[in-house]
Amino acid sequence: MKIKFTLNGKIVEFDSVAETRLVDLLKTSAKIQSLRTSCYKGVCRGCSIFFNGDLVASCLIPVFQARDAEIVSYEGLSKSVEIDDIISGFEDEEYFPCDFCRPGKIMTIHSILENYSDPDENQIMEAFEGINCSCTDNSTLIKAVKTGAFYRRRRRRARNI
Amino acid sequence: MAKDYIFLDDINTRKMLFAHLIRSSIPRGTISSISIPDLPKGYFSITGNDLPGLNIISVFSEKMPLLCTDTINYEGEPILAICGPDETTVLNICNNVIIEYDTDYSFLSFENYHDDQISGIKKFIRGTVESKFKDANTIIKGNYTTSVQTLPITYPMGAVAKYKNNLLEITTASQWPFHVQKSVSDVCGIPKKEIIVNIEPYHHTYDEKLILPSIYSTLAAVLAIKSGKQVRIVAEPSQILKFSIKRPQVKIHRKSAINKSGKIIAEDIEICVDTGAYPLFTDEILSQIILGAASIYSITNLRIKAKAIRTSLPPMNVFKGCGIGMGVFSAETHFSKIAKQKEMNPVDLRLEYLPKINLKLPTGGILKQISQRDLLIRISEKSDFYRKYSAYDLLNKRQNKKLEKQELLRGIGISIGYAGNGFTRKRENREAYSMEVRLDQNDKLYISSSSNGTTPGNIWKETAGRILGLTSSSIEIVKGNTTILPNSGPSFLSNDLSIMTNLVERCCIGIKKHRFHKPLPIIEKRSFKSPGKDIWDADKLKGMPFNALSWGAAVVEIELNPVFLRPVIKGIWTIFDIGRIYDLRAARSAGEAEIYETLNWAAGGSGFLYPQLSLDDAGETDKINLPKINIDFITDSKRSSGGISQLPDIIIPSAFAQAISQASGMHFSSIPITPEIIFKNMAT
């Protein structure tokens, strides 16, 4: 079947079997390299994408559901100014996740910051449930997210003035 | 930026072929027939009979088949591979391959093993145990088990191979690239010098990258030679989780003889290790579990017998180290059990058996660097262990009343242990650790070692930059291959940090000496070979087994909800003596991450963290319990560093089990401990 959707702001069309996992299509046909297939169960968040604005695991979405959808991957997010807040939070708190989990973690943090302007420990840890990469510790992660939230609040305030 | 996160499963070229493995669906039996559907043009298969060389993967003196040709020994054993230009078609073909088996239902069990399942035995004897047990006033027994642990996360595992102009080029993420080279040479029947192994960087590792890359690389190599094209084989995540390397199940039976005056006069220990269908690293694992089980306490008469048992499970061997932690778990938990029976504080009993000066390892190696007594005293003071232990003991004596009132139960546990870096096998059989550092004409520094972990890489850059006054951007860790990198044997992160960082330092000091006196480039090579037999006798387990040791002590305090029986971690205190610390922030972060991961395993999942249940509303609250983790370091700039990634795995499980034991009033001697297990124990 032909499937058409918007990927990182561009309309794309692929030929695929309807029940193919979206992550596989995005990785192989669309060459989205930030996606990781670590569990295929929607738990590890390595394949997180924004699907019509919601953060979802693309391994759980069959391709046919992506028809006319608006999809943003880490590649798309990294072109926006929004990512700067998160990276600033990482740098300030010296939080350096590994290459394997970094895209998924950044996508998750972006989702947190979209939902909470000043997230607390619980909100952060709840969002990170299931992400098992042990390259970094939780305390620094929480600090990095909170600092990222500070930068985002400040930037948005400045924009509103 | 995209280049930052390219992994093996991202490598995809236009003419590349894709391969997938077909594994056995039964745990034991023989293959009676294999029926492969008609393959489209460009697609082909290989079985164990099609290999140009040997059908084996060998590790030291042990071996296992690469592709099973006849007898199946575990579920998931590789049988054949299908290869072709379209990955989806390859997967469809794989789904249509029919393998018929004659199933053998006499599975090899770990519980009731037969003598012919024993694949290795190792003994350690000190003093006279038999006669001391005859003289004993009391004998305290305990059975300790640590269960199979699977990988909590799967990183891409596989290989890409290309054969051109009589040169076989392999790309894989391996902790042991020269083992990949040797295995490919054995299986493909071509000389090592015609095989180049490019090492992809890897990140966090559970030691699954020791042997698995060799298996996938050999398959990719055979297929590449057969097709003349580039071949990629990447394992499916579910296959890695189900069939890849796991922590072996270990059962330890301990008997302690106590004399009339309450002294422990002898210990008799029996260890059984489930190695799965194909034992690998057996001698190493048995040696290290013996070292852990022998404990650091001065018990004059000690007898340990360790056996490796072959079963019908997938191979289980090295997983986050070689098993010293599983021995320490039994020793520390048993010591606290003895303290409980003697109505002593566990710290006091431990101090009684720790020498005041020059601690000796059970194998005789003398340690002068630190006092384990200080470590124990410091951790107990910091955590207020004495007071809390006595208070909780007293409180829990009224446990029935507490259960009636549904009050929270509390417990605290303590543990001390050590980690050694690398292998304990005969020194003459160990590869030398080598390092090469080159300062180029443009003042760019290149560091080459066969290790490719990211953490040591950052520390090496920092070290080199400090000595030579270079910025981090002008230092590069060479993403190398087997033609340019030195053979340093299997890579463990502890080696990378302790030995290799020291070699980087020595190379850079050498460069500094010649800089501005000699023309560029300046190349400095240094290597480290383990000391000889006079220091360590691997057969008799005598002397100092490791090049360096790191020590740790931990206290875990828990609260147990009597209705839901879900342990809530109230506090964790740790002290790590890991020698020289290059980056305190990184060491603390690594320690905390490892503590979380160990607790995750010990509690049988993330139950200790998400979300906690409250007695007030008998429902889930939105409170997530992030345990307070206190990490202290004892630093010693003269000693080489390492061990922070291993120590939590060694010391935390026992402290956690002891804390649950105190809170529940039952003796918990196995890991993991889930609410279901607590309920079962308390109900009986």
Side-chain angles (χ1 to χ4, degrees):
Chain A
M1 65 176 279
K2 293 257 186 234
I3 184 93
K4 201 176 187 181
F5 52 85
T6 309
L7 177 61
N8 298 327
K10 283 182 189 162
I11 295 172
V12 290
E13 189 176 55
F14 298 103
D15 203 357
S16 175
V17 178
E19 64 268 27
T20 302
R21 292 169 192 263
L22 184 56
V23 63
D24 290 336
L25 178 88
L26 292 174
K27 262 180 89 72
T28 52
S29 304
K31 309 279 182 214
I32 298 294
Q33 286 179 332
S34 64
L35 299 172
R36 308 260 56 100
T37 48
S38 183
C39 74
Y40 275 120
K41 287 178 185 165
V43 178
C44 73
R45 317 286 180 80
C47 62
S48 293
I49 53 167
F50 285 98
F51 189 87
N52 294 330
D54 296 325
L55 186 72
V56 296
S58 57
C59 66
L60 296 184
I61 299 177
V63 158
F64 72 85
Q65 279 195 355
R67 190 184 295 278
D68 299 326
E70 182 93 34
I71 295 171
V72 179
S73 72
Y74 172 73
E75 282 81 353
L77 179 68
S78 61
K79 283 179 194 150
S80 78
V81 68
E82 309 268 88
I83 200 169
D84 294 346
D85 310 324
I86 301 168
I87 300 298
S88 300
F90 281 17
E91 285 170 356
D92 282 13
E93 301 301 336
E94 296 188 54
Y95 180 71
F96 305 117
C98 70
D99 291 347
F100 186 79
C101 69
R102 193 177 57 237
K105 281 183 174 167
I106 288 178
M107 295 288 275
T108 308
I109 294 170
H110 180 65
S111 164
I112 296 171
L113 301 189
E114 286 299 284
N115 289 312
Y116 308 103
S117 62
D118 188 9
D120 64 22
E121 229 171 63
N122 288 327
Q123 288 156 345
I124 296 167
M125 290 315 294
E126 244 171 33
F128 272 87
E129 185 181 354
I131 300 183
N132 276 337
C133 190
S134 298
C135 61
T136 41
D137 63 297
N138 286 339
S139 311
T140 321
L141 164 73
I142 290 167
K143 283 186 208 161
V145 177
K146 282 173 173 271
T147 309
F150 162 77
Y151 281 112
R152 184 157 296 186
R153 285 196 304 273
R154 196 176 68 173
R155 192 171 51 78
R156 288 193 171 165
R157 264 204 310 270
R159 200 175 53 188
N160 292 336
I161 291 168
Chain B
M1 193 152 186
K3 274 198 167 175
D4 286 351
Y5 45 81
I6 283 184
F7 286 82
L8 275 170
D9 56 347
D10 296 319
I11 302 174
N12 192 341
T13 57
R14 204 163 53 84
K15 289 183 180 172
M16 179 180 263
L17 302 185
F18 301 91
H20 276 267
L21 259 182
I22 298 174
R23 296 169 178 270
S24 73
S25 55
I26 61 158
R28 202 152 188 249
T30 50
I31 300 168
S32 54
S33 71
I34 299 174
S35 163
I36 302 168
D38 289 338
L39 297 176
K41 198 181 166 205
Y43 291 80
F44 60 99
S45 66
I46 53 155
T47 65
N49 297 321
D50 304 324
L51 305 175
L54 304 169
N55 182 18
I56 56 155
I57 294 287
S58 62
V59 179
F60 306 134
S61 59
E62 293 166 313
K63 53 188 87 162
M64 64 179 199
L66 176 65
L67 292 170
C68 174
T69 51
D70 180 35
T71 309
I72 304 285
N73 282 306
Y74 68 91
E75 186 186 347
E77 192 164 355
I79 297 175
L80 74 150
I82 304 281
C83 185
D86 178 58
E87 199 167 11
T88 314
T89 312
V90 169
L91 283 169
N92 283 339
I93 297 168
C94 289
N95 290 336
N96 289 312
V97 171
I98 298 166
I99 302 173
E100 286 181 354
Y101 308 94
D102 290 327
T103 307
D104 180 352
Y105 290 99
S106 56
F107 305 135
L108 303 180
S109 114
F110 183 54
E111 306 295 325
N112 306 303
Y113 66 87
H114 301 290
D115 285 351
D116 57 358
Q117 283 176 250
I118 300 172
S119 57
I121 292 184
K122 201 140 190 144
K123 290 176 187 171
F124 176 79
I125 298 167
R126 182 171 70 196
T128 51
V129 171
E130 211 68 59
S131 61
K132 297 292 171 191
F133 268 89
K134 279 180 193 157
D135 300 341
N137 191 45
T138 320
I139 293 173
I140 298 177
K141 294 178 185 176
N143 289 312
Y144 302 89
T145 57
T146 46
S147 301
V148 172
Q149 186 184 4
T150 50
L151 295 169
I153 185 170
T154 56
Y155 301 101
M157 173 67 69
V160 174
K162 191 169 72 181
Y163 189 59
K164 207 175 174 185
N165 303 330
N166 286 335
L167 196 68
L168 187 58
E169 202 175 331
I170 313 276
T171 303
T172 189
S174 169
Q175 283 171 264
W176 198 359
F178 287 87
H179 184 264
V180 173
Q181 191 188 44
K182 183 197 168 293
S183 304
V184 171
S185 169
D186 289 347
V187 173
C188 297
I190 54 175
K192 282 189 207 170
K193 63 181 179 190
E194 291 176 15
I195 303 163
I196 299 176
V197 181
N198 298 312
I199 315 160
E200 279 295 301
Y202 55 82
H203 302 276
H204 196 75
T205 171
Y206 298 84
D207 293 330
E208 78 278 15
K209 291 181 185 72
L210 275 174
I211 301 303
L212 290 178
S214 300
I215 294 172
Y216 288 102
S217 298
T218 46
L219 287 169
V222 171
L223 294 164
I225 292 170
K226 191 167 176 173
S227 65
K229 291 184 175 165
Q230 192 176 26
V231 174
R232 186 188 90 180
I233 182 164
V234 175
E236 289 162 46
S238 59
Q239 291 203 348
I240 302 178
L241 288 178
K242 210 168 166 194
F243 308 121
S244 85
I245 299 304
K246 294 173 169 60
R247 184 198 295 270
Q249 186 179 183
V250 176
K251 281 185 171 195
I252 301 179
H253 177 69
R254 300 183 77 102
K255 260 189 335 185
S256 303
I258 318 280
N259 69 8
K260 276 180 193 165
S261 53
K263 273 257 170 220
I264 306 169
I265 48 171
E267 281 216 290
D268 194 6
I269 303 165
E270 275 202 22
I271 301 169
C272 284
V273 185
D274 182 349
T275 61
Y278 294 105
L280 299 175
F281 298 103
T282 307
D283 199 56
E284 188 61 42
I285 290 170
L286 294 183
S287 298
Q288 293 217 19
I289 294 182
I290 286 176
L291 283 170
S295 81
I296 52 168
Y297 306 111
S298 313
I299 293 159
T300 325
N301 305 292
L302 187 62
R303 182 171 64 192
I304 307 177
K305 188 178 179 185
K307 286 183 253 180
I309 313 291
R310 241 174 0 96
T311 64
S312 299
L313 292 174
M316 295 183 275
N317 43 70
V318 180
F319 187 99
K320 289 183 89 177
C322 296
I324 203 165
M326 296 178 272
V328 169
F329 170 75
S330 76
E332 288 295 298
T333 316
H334 190 66
F335 234 73
S336 288
K337 184 182 182 178
I338 297 171
K340 174 97 183 149
Q341 292 208 5
K342 290 177 74 178
E343 297 191 338
M344 276 179 87
N345 187 295
V347 176
D348 288 338
L349 184 73
R350 281 170 170 80
L351 288 174
E352 207 178 301
Y353 290 89
L354 276 176
K356 291 195 173 68
I357 46 159
N358 286 357
L359 179 85
K360 260 189 185 183
L361 279 187
T363 51
I366 296 173
L367 298 166
K368 292 174 185 165
Q369 74 257 35
I370 61 152
S371 161
Q372 280 61 38
R373 297 177 68 85
D374 288 350
L375 204 63
L376 209 55
I377 292 164
R378 270 178 68 169
I379 194 83
S380 54
E381 281 174 358
K382 203 167 168 55
S383 59
D384 197 9
F385 185 86
Y386 275 97
R387 185 191 65 79
K388 284 178 181 167
Y389 182 83
S390 308
Y392 296 162
D393 233 16
L394 209 61
L395 279 171
N396 292 340
K397 276 181 183 156
R398 304 198 302 263
Q399 203 187 52
N400 283 343
K401 275 187 186 171
K402 289 186 86 163
L403 286 172
E404 275 169 28
K405 287 185 187 170
Q406 299 193 344
E407 283 176 18
L408 292 170
L409 307 166
R410 290 202 170 127
I412 194 163
I414 192 163
S415 177
I416 181 169
Y418 68 92
N421 64 349
F423 283 158
T424 63
R425 69 198 193 104
K426 286 179 186 172
R427 307 251 165 177
E428 55 272 28
N429 292 343
R430 299 185 199 177
E431 290 86 351
Y433 302 97
S434 309
M435 176 68 73
E436 184 186 296
V437 179
R438 185 179 88 239
L439 184 67
D440 242 337
Q441 280 93 338
N442 52 3
D443 251 11
K444 193 139 178 135
L445 194 79
Y446 297 91
I447 301 174
S448 311
S449 101
S450 57
S451 157
N452 232 0
T454 44
T455 313
N458 292 337
I459 290 169
W460 298 344
K461 278 185 178 182
E462 194 272 324
T463 305
R466 183 173 33 82
I467 296 168
L468 295 168
L470 297 171
T471 58
S472 177
S473 58
S474 59
I475 305 168
E476 197 178 303
I477 307 293
V478 176
K479 185 182 160 183
N481 61 48
T482 42
T483 58
I484 56 168
L485 296 178
N487 182 0
S488 296
S491 164
F492 291 93
L493 291 182
S494 53
N495 290 351
D496 295 349
L497 214 55
S498 58
I499 297 168
M500 301 304 243
T501 308
N502 188 264
L503 294 180
V504 170
E505 204 166 53
R506 283 168 50 200
C507 286
C508 291
I509 290 169
I511 289 176
K512 193 179 178 182
K513 210 167 138 189
H514 300 301
R515 201 178 176 191
F516 310 120
H517 298 285
K518 273 187 177 178
L520 294 172
I522 303 170
I523 299 169
E524 287 287 326
K525 289 180 186 174
R526 296 286 186 277
S527 60
F528 173 89
K529 178 97 177 162
S530 304
K533 201 174 175 177
D534 50 328
I535 306 284
W536 172 241
D537 185 334
D539 292 329
K540 292 178 184 160
L541 295 179
K542 282 212 167 103
M544 179 56 79
F546 300 108
N547 301 315
L549 291 179
S550 46
W551 290 83
V555 166
V556 176
E557 185 185 354
I558 65 121
E559 205 168 67
L560 197 60
N561 178 318
V563 176
F564 305 110
L565 298 176
R566 216 179 235 196
V568 175
I569 311 286
K570 299 307 287 180
I572 296 171
W573 293 264
T574 52
I575 299 180
F576 297 117
D577 173 28
I578 54 170
R580 182 171 172 183
I581 295 177
Y582 294 93
D583 182 343
L584 189 62
R585 187 206 60 79
R588 196 175 292 280
S589 171
E592 191 185 316
E594 288 297 331
I595 289 170
Y596 267 105
E597 193 173 279
T598 306
L599 276 173
N600 213 7
W601 172 56
S606 52
F608 79 99
L609 194 60
Y610 304 104
Q612 293 308 315
L613 299 167
S614 148
L615 278 177
D616 303 334
D617 54 8
E620 289 198 358
T621 70
D622 59 355
K623 277 274 174 206
I624 281 176
N625 169 55
L626 272 181
K628 289 192 173 36
I629 298 178
N630 299 278
I631 300 177
D632 275 0
F633 290 103
I634 295 173
T635 56
D636 181 352
S637 59
K638 284 178 195 153
R639 276 194 300 123
S640 56
S641 61
I644 190 68
S645 57
Q646 292 170 284
L647 280 168
D649 196 56
I650 290 167
I651 55 176
I652 295 283
S654 175
F656 176 71
Q658 291 168 44
I660 304 257
S661 298
Q662 194 186 31
S664 64
M666 309 298 296
H667 177 59
F668 282 86
S669 57
S670 64
I671 289 288
I673 304 173
T674 61
E676 291 77 18
I677 292 170
I678 299 172
F679 174 75
K680 214 171 142 188
N681 267 24
M682 288 179 82
T684 52

